[in-house]
Amino acid sequence: MTSSGILSYLTFVYFLAFVFYLLMMVMGRQVPGRLATYTLLGSFATHTAAIILRWQESYAAGMGRAPFSNLYESLIFFAWTLSLLYLIVEWRTRNKSAGAFITPLIFLAMAYASFSPNISSKIMPLIPALKSNWLITHVITCFLGYAAFGLSFGFSLMYLFKGGDSGDRTASFLRLIPARGILEELNYQMVVIGFLMLTLGIITGSVWAHSAWGSYWSWDPKETWSLITWFVYAAVIHSRLVRGWKGKKIIILCIVGFACVLFTYFGVNYLAGLHSYATN
Amino acid sequence: MEETINERKANPVLKFFGSVKLAIVLLILLAVFSVAGTMIPQKEGAMEFIQGLNPATFNLLDFFGLFDLYHAGWFRLLIGLLALNLVVCSIERFPSAWRRVKARPSVDRSQPFENLPDTLVISTDSGYEEALRISQNLLKKRFRTLRSERKKDRVFFLAEKGSFSHLGVFLVHLSVLVILIGALAGSFFGFEGFVKIAEGETVDSIMPRSGNQSFSPGFEIRCDKFTVEFYDNGSPREYRSAVTFLVGGKEVEKRDILVNHPVTFNGITFYQSTYEKVAGRGLRIKLSKEGGKEDLKPIDAEIGQQIQLPGKEGFFQVLDIRHMGTAPAALVSVETGKGEPTRFWIFENFELIRSRLPEQMIKSPRFDPSAFKPYTFSLLGVQERYATGLQANQDPGVPIVWAGFILIVLGFIVTFFTSQQFVRVLVEKKNNKTVIMVTGSASRNRPALDRDLQRLVEDIRSLLAA
């Protein structure tokens, strides 16, 4: 089977993981939680293998390039970084409740890549502008950043779901979600990782643009939107220093930040610019 | 941090320009206006958009510089305010951060050791002196500074590392300023230009992107060859310009310029940017004589080459070859030695072109292939060649920006991933036993400190047992 065949099947496995996480939340039992983690781990391992396979396929087709060069491949890689980062967080925090919020994101990215009629999964050769050693570093840093912001978005949603600390709501769905204070801390950690990675992504992108287009910054829509995202998360990080700004305000700013990430990633394709090869 | 702000309460202006709130407002304003800049078409791209606007809207948008928003004065002012905010806030906060770096808390405090969990307390029969030696060695190895104080039967140790962690945020702020300075340096002392060179031609001037006065870089560039390769599916694989740099007509350096592989010569960097097909210097022409029975043989000619007419009426030469619209055209000049030369343009596929040309043009003798009787000239084909389009830039700000990039990454790592740790160890002789207690504090990442403390306890324990 080809890599894209395997990856389209994986879409369903990720959905299955989501169902298990949801069952765990609703039933409040450990068994579906364990199943969810195993499903996700298995899916992630296969996903990794499929990306390596795709790399090999490109060599076999005589193109020999990293599988990070169009919208399809970036979505697949985005889903991969999301699973990787989520699995690390689950392992470090020993709490599985975020799984119910992150696996849908992974599923959506995979489904969009595999089943959208506008996205081709064909392995295409690299156009001259993409032939650079910066391609791999740029894509990896950007997508690790996007994934961290995706997790921050998940924690922000959980924060909003959790409701106020006062009302002792005992629905098991909410009981498994950590306390708001912990969610804020986790969210902040994700924002910090994302911010560092986004900064690295913008830096590698600038250095690359300098050698490909002759200018490290040309206010191309994608560049500009990544800077907008950077501004928003810089505001998030600074707002922790303002007294009385903890809590909901920051959470909302994080959701705005993730909306900017999504626009940087997808929305920009509707605006003309230099990054047009990422559209299909 | 709080202290410093209170100390300076007297100066509300400084307080305003150094506040975190101002920083957040500026960041969000910059974000919002940048969004506007991606929605309103900018610069060259704005032409089509502008045509659809009514004059009032256009004047309003134009007044605020919204068609070149990122270079508008008020946008730069916002960036300038952010820079000012960074400077003032850093100056305001640096003294207290420096005090924390230099802080030397007193060593012999017993309060931190109250109510310690059992996991951080060791009680042993081993000797007191040995426990002291082991604790001291471990702390010395793992921390930057170690101080101790002996009080009767107990010794206090205070170890510290990572004080520089408090300075990370200043490094980040400084690096943002460095990047802005680099960008300023580029916009004041650099330029962006463009050269178009046909294969075989030499160019000695660069056209700047803004303005229309070309200038000489002090050397010449010749394009020896331009090649474009394609993949089987038709998408481009490689654009390559082989160029020679000459100074005063002398060849100095031969280089290949590719996308992602720019070439710098005498401080100016050339980037592969565009290419196009242009007419070359050679062409093939056919003459036919009015009433002539047979066609004459086609003639291969070059620009400027004098060719005798078949009936020896005089000479003709081609003065210029160019594409008019998409059609190749050549300017022919026929000279008989008497009077003015006859000049006219001839086209390839003239019948096809004629149907597209406006009436006056067809009637004009300048477009009549039979303008010199009794001959009719027809253009069978022109040689084609490539012209490469190179971006030619000079930006002295780039190394400064790169330095800023390195600093900002270092700054982030220091700010977010290091912390100042204080670890206190108390070794006490109690009756016949020796009690060792371990505790500490960290400026950030408490869990990491807890792990370090636990490891310290275990290591002391195993060394005591050995």
Side-chain angles (χ1 to χ4, degrees):
Chain A
M1 201 189 300
T2 61
S3 59
S4 54
I6 298 174
L7 289 163
S8 59
Y9 281 112
L10 274 183
T11 310
F12 300 106
V13 184
Y14 279 118
F15 187 75
L16 189 67
F18 167 56
V19 171
F20 284 139
Y21 277 114
L22 209 58
L23 279 177
M24 172 200 76
M25 300 287 278
V26 175
M27 293 161 61
R29 295 270 178 84
Q30 282 201 347
V31 180
R34 229 173 274 154
L35 275 174
T37 304
Y38 289 137
T39 312
L40 190 58
L41 271 173
S43 192
F44 176 70
T46 321
H47 197 152
T48 313
I51 291 178
I52 296 170
L53 179 63
R54 191 174 176 85
W55 207 324
Q56 284 178 341
E57 284 167 0
S58 85
Y59 271 95
M63 298 169 206
R65 54 169 192 64
F68 304 136
S69 68
N70 54 23
L71 185 56
Y72 173 81
E73 290 174 345
S74 75
L75 279 164
I76 296 297
F77 187 63
F78 180 44
W80 186 85
T81 51
L82 269 175
S83 336
L84 172 72
L85 209 58
Y86 169 71
L87 282 167
I88 293 173
V89 169
E90 182 184 305
W91 170 60
R92 295 277 295 211
T93 60
R94 295 186 172 73
N95 184 299
K96 296 173 191 286
S97 58
F101 293 83
I102 302 302
T103 45
L105 285 183
I106 305 173
F107 164 73
L108 283 176
M110 294 295 283
Y112 185 36
S114 299
F115 304 117
S116 164
N118 304 324
I119 297 177
S120 160
S121 65
K122 258 179 77 179
I123 301 183
M124 300 293 273
L126 287 184
I127 61 164
L130 291 179
K131 281 187 182 167
S132 166
N133 294 331
W134 291 104
L135 173 67
I136 295 181
T137 13
H138 179 58
V139 172
I140 289 181
T141 49
C142 286
F143 280 94
L144 278 176
Y146 289 3
F149 291 140
L151 258 73
S152 147
F153 174 68
F155 288 128
S156 302
L157 286 187
M158 289 162 78
Y159 183 97
L160 294 180
F161 267 97
K162 185 78 177 172
D165 294 316
S166 48
D168 194 10
R169 294 153 73 179
T170 45
S172 66
F173 185 79
L174 296 176
R175 207 178 48 218
L176 287 179
I177 297 179
R180 277 188 147 189
I182 296 174
L183 288 174
E184 273 187 289
E185 193 49 42
L186 285 170
N187 177 47
Y188 178 70
Q189 285 182 16
M190 288 305 128
V191 169
V192 164
I193 294 172
F195 193 62
L196 175 66
M197 286 300 157
L198 177 66
T199 309
L200 283 170
I202 293 177
I203 289 175
T204 52
S206 299
V207 176
W208 184 6
H210 179 68
S211 68
W213 302 325
S215 166
Y216 58 85
W217 195 262
S218 30
W219 295 104
D220 154 76
K222 196 142 193 138
E223 288 175 353
T224 310
W225 270 95
S226 67
L227 185 67
I228 292 164
T229 310
W230 195 87
F231 285 145
V232 172
Y233 282 106
V236 169
I237 287 173
H238 284 90
S239 50
R240 273 172 63 106
L241 301 174
V242 182
R243 206 171 303 155
W245 257 61
K246 275 206 160 189
K248 207 165 181 178
K249 277 183 186 164
I250 296 184
I251 292 297
I252 301 231
L253 207 50
C254 285
I255 291 174
V256 171
F258 189 62
C260 291
V261 169
L262 291 181
F263 199 86
T264 309
Y265 190 0
F266 303 110
V268 163
N269 297 336
Y270 300 102
L271 310 166
L274 297 163
H275 269 85
S276 54
Y277 36 76
T279 35
N280 47 45
Chain B
M1 275 188 202
E2 308 291 330
E3 293 165 49
T4 355
I5 295 167
N6 288 337
E7 279 169 25
R8 308 248 173 142
K9 225 169 198 165
N11 194 335
V13 179
L14 275 186
K15 201 185 158 205
F16 172 76
F17 281 109
S19 74
V20 182
K21 274 187 184 158
L22 178 67
I24 294 171
V25 169
L26 287 173
L27 286 169
I28 291 182
L29 280 180
L30 280 169
V32 169
F33 289 123
S34 301
V35 171
T38 64
M39 299 297 168
I40 303 170
Q42 299 286 300
K43 288 184 164 176
E44 299 88 359
M47 287 307 164
E48 203 180 322
F49 176 72
I50 288 172
Q51 283 164 7
L53 293 177
N54 67 54
T57 321
F58 169 78
N59 286 338
L60 187 73
L61 294 180
D62 191 45
F63 178 75
F64 288 107
L66 293 181
F67 298 117
D68 192 7
L69 189 151
Y70 306 112
H71 304 99
W74 58 267
F75 192 79
R76 295 193 161 170
L77 183 73
L78 275 182
I79 297 178
L81 273 177
L82 187 70
L84 181 70
N85 180 226
L86 281 176
V87 173
V88 175
C89 117
S90 300
I91 292 173
E92 289 252 278
R93 279 148 218 244
F94 190 79
S96 72
W98 189 244
R99 274 200 294 280
R100 289 167 80 186
V101 171
K102 289 277 146 198
R104 287 167 68 85
S106 56
V107 179
D108 60 332
R109 291 178 56 205
S110 34
Q111 189 243 332
F113 296 99
E114 286 164 14
N115 305 321
L116 280 190
D118 291 346
T119 48
L120 294 179
V121 179
I122 306 170
S123 183
T124 168
D125 297 328
S126 312
Y128 174 62
E129 291 301 326
E130 198 192 347
L132 279 180
R133 189 179 50 79
I134 288 171
S135 308
Q136 181 159 14
N137 285 345
L138 277 176
L139 288 172
K140 230 182 194 160
K141 219 185 291 170
R142 289 182 192 172
F143 290 86
R144 199 176 56 94
T145 62
L146 176 64
R147 290 181 292 146
S148 60
E149 248 177 80
R150 193 180 280 263
K151 292 270 158 95
K152 284 189 204 156
D153 288 343
R154 56 210 317 224
V155 175
F156 292 92
F157 291 100
L158 175 54
E160 176 274 341
K161 69 175 174 190
S163 60
F164 58 86
S165 163
H166 300 297
L167 301 178
V169 64
F170 299 100
L171 196 55
V172 173
H173 288 175
L174 178 73
S175 59
V176 172
L177 293 176
V178 170
I179 293 169
L180 289 177
I181 289 169
L184 270 183
S187 71
F188 279 119
F189 306 112
F191 65 82
E192 286 190 355
F194 191 80
V195 282
K196 190 175 115 181
I197 323 170
E199 283 176 308
E201 303 288 330
T202 305
V203 164
D204 63 357
S205 66
I206 293 173
M207 181 61 90
R209 292 250 164 193
S210 48
N212 41 22
Q213 196 64 47
S214 65
F215 66 96
S216 165
F219 56 88
E220 302 101 66
I221 321 138
R222 187 177 68 219
C223 175
D224 297 318
K225 196 168 174 51
F226 176 84
T227 48
V228 49
E229 286 173 29
F230 295 93
Y231 293 104
D232 295 339
N233 70 1
S235 69
R237 178 204 289 271
E238 185 187 278
Y239 307 112
R240 181 190 295 264
S241 303
V243 300
T244 305
F245 294 99
L246 308 97
V247 177
K250 257 195 172 162
E251 289 186 8
V252 177
E253 206 175 334
K254 279 183 180 293
R255 299 290 293 273
D256 281 4
I257 302 173
L258 290 86
V259 180
N260 274 314
H261 298 277
V263 165
T264 304
F265 186 79
N266 277 10
I268 297 179
T269 310
F270 293 87
Y271 303 83
Q272 183 62 53
S273 175
T274 58
Y275 74 98
E276 63 185 51
K277 272 192 176 162
V278 294
R281 299 184 61 85
L283 76 175
R284 173 168 285 195
I285 283 181
K286 200 182 72 175
L287 272 68
S288 47
K289 206 169 180 177
E290 213 169 291
K293 289 268 154 34
E294 52 195 295
D295 276 357
L296 300 162
K297 267 195 188 153
I299 303 162
D300 287 322
E302 279 213 344
I303 289 182
Q305 190 185 346
Q306 296 255 347
I307 297 166
Q308 199 169 43
L309 287 166
K312 308 228 160 73
E313 296 91 337
F315 294 87
F316 78 89
Q317 63 171 322
V318 174
L319 299 175
D320 192 8
I321 305 174
R322 62 171 68 159
H323 285 88
M324 286 203 178
T326 53
L331 178 59
V332 178
S333 169
V334 186
E335 291 142 49
T336 55
K338 288 170 268 170
E340 286 288 298
T342 315
R343 288 183 179 180
F344 52 92
W345 285 93
I346 55 174
F347 291 85
E348 203 179 318
N349 299 323
F350 186 60
E351 293 311 310
L352 192 74
I353 301 297
R354 191 208 287 274
S355 62
R356 290 197 208 134
L357 290 178
E359 188 104 1
Q360 320 75 297
M361 257 177 100
I362 300 166
K363 287 194 177 146
S364 153
R366 284 188 59 79
F367 294 94
D368 180 7
S370 316
F372 186 81
K373 303 282 180 216
Y375 294 102
T376 299
F377 286 73
S378 42
L379 179 58
L380 296 183
V382 299
Q383 234 176 36
E384 286 203 313
R385 55 181 171 167
Y386 284 114
T388 183
L390 303 175
Q391 181 145 317
N393 291 1
Q394 188 168 44
D395 189 346
V398 166
I400 306 174
V401 173
W402 279 195
F405 284 170
I406 293 170
L407 284 184
I408 204 169
V409 174
L410 288 179
F412 277 152
I413 291 169
V414 173
T415 309
F416 293 124
F417 302 104
T418 69
S419 70
Q420 185 178 28
Q421 284 189 351
F422 284 107
V423 168
R424 293 173 180 274
V425 175
L426 174 59
V427 182
E428 195 175 5
K429 206 189 291 183
K430 257 188 186 166
N431 308 325
N432 293 327
K433 288 203 174 256
T434 305
V435 178
I436 305 164
M437 289 188 273
V438 175
T439 185
S441 62
S443 61
R444 153 176 333 107
N445 201 356
R446 178 76 209 191
L449 175 76
D450 288 337
R451 278 195 297 276
D452 287 356
L453 292 179
Q454 213 55 59
R455 197 165 70 101
L456 186 64
V457 170
E458 276 151 29
D459 290 347
I460 294 176
R461 210 174 253 146
S462 62
L463 282 172
L464 281 169

